[in-house]
Amino acid sequence: AGLDIDMQQPGAGKELLDEYYKIPGLLKAGKVTQAQVDEKALHVLSAMYALKLTPTGWGAKPDDISSDAHRAVALKTITESTVLLKNEANTLPLATAGKKIVMVGKYCKCGKDKKFKQGNAYSGGGSGYVDTDKTITPLEGVKTAITDAQVSYGPDAGAAAGADVAVVCVSAHAEEGWDRKDLKVPDAQELVTAVKAVAKKVVVIAFVPGPVETDWVEGADAVLMLFMPGEQVGPAVAKLLTGAASPNGRLPVSMPKKGEKRFTKEQYPGSPFGDKKMVAHFSDGVLVGYRWNDAMGVPSAYPFGFGLAYTQLQLKGVAATCAGATATVTMQVVNVGAREGVAVPQVYVGFKSLAPAVRQLRGFKKVVVPPGGQSAVSITLTAADWSYYCQASQAWVDAAAKGEKITISVGTSSADLPFTQTLTCSR
């Protein structure tokens, strides 16, 4: 929004102090001119008119600007970003004909929860939340799409008795204003364990806002992780379950193991938690996310960049070469399975001056490979990829130009890097 739009609470003495109430006094004192106020107002009004939010429309119900094309984009975004965490014995995609499928858990049927102050289970709460009456729930989506099976619903494990497949919906809700008090997925462990005892197969659909503990995954046969999917969640879940679409996402964060000692209480969630005077100390330095895991030698439950597919993909013939200050990484992505699949080969770079970090992601490509086919991938790196910021000189420094060796690692996640090569790249 920039500095011309105030999104805080109005009036003096409020929890979030609004400074705009001072403007009349500042104008009168000559510390702010009317021309300055007019200029700032013009910035706001220009954006409003560009979006057709004209004054004549204020207070009136806006036209519905959604369309089938918009919904198609939303749906594709969900499937392309969903991460397949687990798929034992190729549980997914489901063979649905004649099966008893039970949707279990309140978030299969409804995203709203009285415990939430803002938003819902599918969209989180805060600035990114849009209240809509067009949400299609997972239960609605599955019932519409799967017509050759018996599909039913229950809020708890009791409904899953004798089910061929129980699809369990869980959510770790987050809202703007406060961090979550912990990284747990509420009720997930208890619900998955109870369902596992009475159903033949358990598929978990997890709606998460970021990193979560994943000890509950052990009790599931398959797990799909969706990051705040939005109103098209129902059709997306149905397509992913049946294989009409594939989960093509990779983890944008590392999923911690239960009991991981990454933060002090002063770092996360902050202290005293829930108090208006709570302070969270961001003292991590550069060891954020997978960089911490690598530097400390502590594996994640599921590492940054991880994601399975509905087929088997392999990286072959990986090679890295230098020509002056440019490095080129090449490989073949081979699909040895029977379905089309998406691979995301990743290139990480390490060098001495990057310490205390060991390596960092510097390149990746998303590749669609037909069944039985292969695709050539080439990723180019330059001096910017092995440069670091020197605080003493207040400038970026080329580590290779200093004579440091550059280590190139290639794989499918920050923890799965079977190919490593050391290069000398200099101008």
Side-chain angles (χ1 to χ4, degrees):
L3 299 178
D4 297 340
I5 301 177
D6 178 29
M7 298 181 68
Q8 299 184 36
Q9 297 183 22
K14 294 292 185 179
E15 181 180 340
L16 294 175
L17 187 59
D18 184 328
E19 295 290 312
Y20 279 13
Y21 77 96
K22 297 180 180 179
I23 288 179
L26 293 171
L27 279 168
K28 188 175 181 180
K31 294 182 178 180
V32 172
T33 67
Q34 186 62 51
Q36 289 174 314
V37 174
D38 291 344
E39 181 184 16
K40 303 301 182 184
L42 180 60
H43 294 164
V44 177
L45 291 171
S46 297
M48 293 178 67
Y49 274 88
L51 295 172
K52 299 182 179 178
L53 299 175
T54 59
T56 55
W58 294 351
K61 184 177 180 180
D63 292 335
D64 184 352
I65 61 170
S66 61
S67 66
D68 289 343
H70 291 165
R71 283 184 281 273
V73 170
L75 177 57
K76 186 174 178 59
T77 300
I78 299 170
T79 59
E80 289 295 306
S81 62
T82 295
V83 179
L84 180 62
L85 275 194
K86 183 178 182 180
N87 197 21
E88 293 263 325
N90 295 320
T91 297
L92 294 176
L94 298 176
T96 60
K99 297 296 178 65
K100 178 182 178 181
I101 301 173
V102 182
M103 307 289 287
V104 180
K106 57 187 175 183
Y107 300 123
C108 285
K109 188 177 183 180
C110 181
K112 294 186 177 180
D113 193 315
K114 292 181 180 179
K115 294 185 296 184
F116 301 161
K117 294 180 180 178
Q118 308 172 42
N120 63 34
Y122 314 136
S123 300
S127 301
Y129 174 66
V130 177
D131 192 11
T132 174
D133 59 2
K134 294 181 173 57
T135 297
I136 303 171
T137 68
L139 177 60
E140 292 170 331
V142 169
K143 278 191 169 183
T144 299
I146 299 177
T147 58
D148 60 355
Q150 177 189 341
V151 178
S152 59
Y153 164 78
D156 53 41
D164 294 301
V165 181
V167 179
V168 180
C169 298
V170 296
S171 173
H173 184 70
E175 300 177 359
E176 184 177 7
W178 290 97
D179 286 335
R180 291 171 284 157
K181 67 178 181 179
D182 56 46
L183 300 181
K184 299 181 184 301
V185 180
D187 305 321
Q189 185 68 68
E190 296 79 7
L191 188 57
V192 172
T193 300
V195 171
K196 183 68 173 178
V198 297
K200 295 177 184 178
K201 292 284 186 179
V202 179
V203 177
V204 178
I205 310 295
F207 309 114
V208 301
V212 293
E213 292 179 357
T214 55
D215 43 308
W216 46 270
V217 171
E218 185 177 352
D221 295 286
V223 177
L224 291 166
M225 186 165 279
L226 289 73
F227 292 84
M228 302 292 95
E231 69 173 48
Q232 288 295 305
V233 59
V237 166
K239 283 180 174 291
L240 292 165
L241 290 176
T242 61
S246 298
N248 293 332
R250 299 297 183 269
L251 286 180
V253 291
S254 299
M255 295 297 169
K257 286 187 175 179
K258 185 177 181 179
E260 181 183 86
K261 304 297 182 183
R262 180 186 296 258
F263 302 112
T264 65
K265 288 184 179 180
E266 287 70 29
Q267 290 176 318
Y268 173 80
S271 180
F273 184 78
D275 191 281
K276 291 181 180 180
K277 295 182 180 180
M278 184 188 82
V279 175
H281 295 271
F282 293 88
S283 53
D284 314 60
V286 297
L287 298 183
V288 177
Y290 68 87
R291 295 172 181 83
W292 182 89
N293 297 94
D294 291 344
M296 299 300 176
V298 178
S300 299
Y302 295 92
F304 172 86
F306 175 84
L308 302 175
Y310 285 165
T311 187
Q312 291 77 48
L313 298 155
Q314 300 175 354
L315 304 184
K316 293 188 175 182
V318 182
T321 57
C322 258
T326 300
T328 303
V329 181
T330 58
M331 71 199 80
Q332 291 287 329
V333 180
V334 182
N335 186 346
V336 297
R339 293 175 58 92
E340 180 181 271
V342 167
V344 186
Q346 301 159 37
V347 177
Y348 293 78
V349 175
F351 48 92
K352 182 180 178 181
S353 292
L354 191 62
V358 178
R359 65 184 70 88
Q360 58 187 4
L361 178 70
R362 296 306 302 172
F364 66 91
K365 279 195 176 178
K366 188 173 185 178
V367 186
V368 181
V369 189
Q374 61 183 25
S375 179
V377 174
S378 179
I379 296 175
T380 301
L381 305 172
T382 67
D385 296 303
W386 48 78
S387 293
Y388 66 96
Y389 190 76
C390 177
Q391 291 185 336
S393 62
Q394 297 286 291
W396 289 92
V397 178
D398 180 342
K402 291 177 56 180
E404 295 184 16
K405 294 184 180 299
I406 309 304
T407 300
I408 308 294
S409 301
V410 182
T412 58
S413 76
S414 64
D416 178 28
L417 300 168
F419 174 88
T420 298
Q421 185 171 334
T422 301
L423 302 174
T424 301
C425 301
S426 58
R427 290 184 172 86

